[in-house]
Amino acid sequence: MDLILENLQQSEGSFCEKLNQDGDFDQRLFAELILHIDGLNSRDLTETERLRTSSKLWELAYRIQSSLGYNYNQNDIFKIVNMDGEKLVEIGQVLEYICKSFSEGKQFDMDFIHEMTK
């Protein structure tokens, strides 16, 4: 199954499943997801394929961003236990960058992503 769909469906062992069920921001799984998206972005996709995948990416980014936002809501018991707030803001910026670049068919600046996620 496509890694993007696995995360959208919060399949067992996926980045999103761990984030939403355990409050665990798994750096390794997040990096795996980014590399998967970068691989898709490097392919020669038709306009329709790029639009469909882009739509899934924006949905995934929204879901991850929502989880990050819940971390700041004092009325919500959800907490991300292994990452500080400043780093979560940077992760949000990375998600926006990836989705926007993918939608526009631009190659990712992996140095930028690495700096923002380390």
Side-chain angles (χ1 to χ4, degrees), residues 2 4-5 8 51-61:
D2 178 13
I4 297 169
L5 279 177
L8 282 171
L51 285 171
R52 284 184 181 147
T53 304
S54 182
S55 177
K56 286 189 241 175
L57 282 179
W58 282 107
E59 181 181 355
L60 181 60

Side-chain angles (χ1 to χ4, degrees), residues 37-64:
I37 296 166
D38 184 47
L40 288 174
N41 195 36
S42 298
R43 292 184 190 163
D44 189 22
L45 301 174
T46 66
E47 186 175 337
T48 302
E49 290 171 325
R50 185 162 297 276
L51 285 171
R52 284 184 181 147
T53 304
S54 182
S55 177
K56 286 189 241 175
L57 282 179
W58 282 107
E59 181 181 355
L60 181 60
Y62 173 77
R63 289 184 185 191
I64 294 170

Side-chain angles (χ1 to χ4, degrees), residues 25 27 68 72 82-94 113-118:
F25 192 100
Q27 293 274 5
L68 301 181
Y72 294 103
N82 61 331
M83 189 167 291
D84 66 27
E86 186 175 311
K87 186 54 75 177
L88 292 175
V89 170
E90 291 175 358
I91 294 298
Q93 292 169 340
V94 166
I113 292 171
H114 176 72
E115 280 300 311
M116 295 294 278
T117 57
K118 69 177 182 176

Side-chain angles (χ1 to χ4, degrees), residues 70-113:
Y70 297 148
N71 183 68
Y72 294 103
N73 184 346
Q74 294 178 0
N75 297 322
D76 195 315
I77 60 170
F78 178 78
K79 292 289 176 221
I80 298 172
V81 296
N82 61 331
M83 189 167 291
D84 66 27
E86 186 175 311
K87 186 54 75 177
L88 292 175
V89 170
E90 291 175 358
I91 294 298
Q93 292 169 340
V94 166
L95 290 169
E96 178 184 9
Y97 168 77
I98 288 171
C99 289
K100 188 173 185 323
S101 296
F102 187 94
S103 296
E104 295 172 354
K106 295 180 181 174
Q107 293 301 307
F108 300 156
D109 179 346
M110 294 305 279
D111 290 337
F112 167 77
I113 292 171

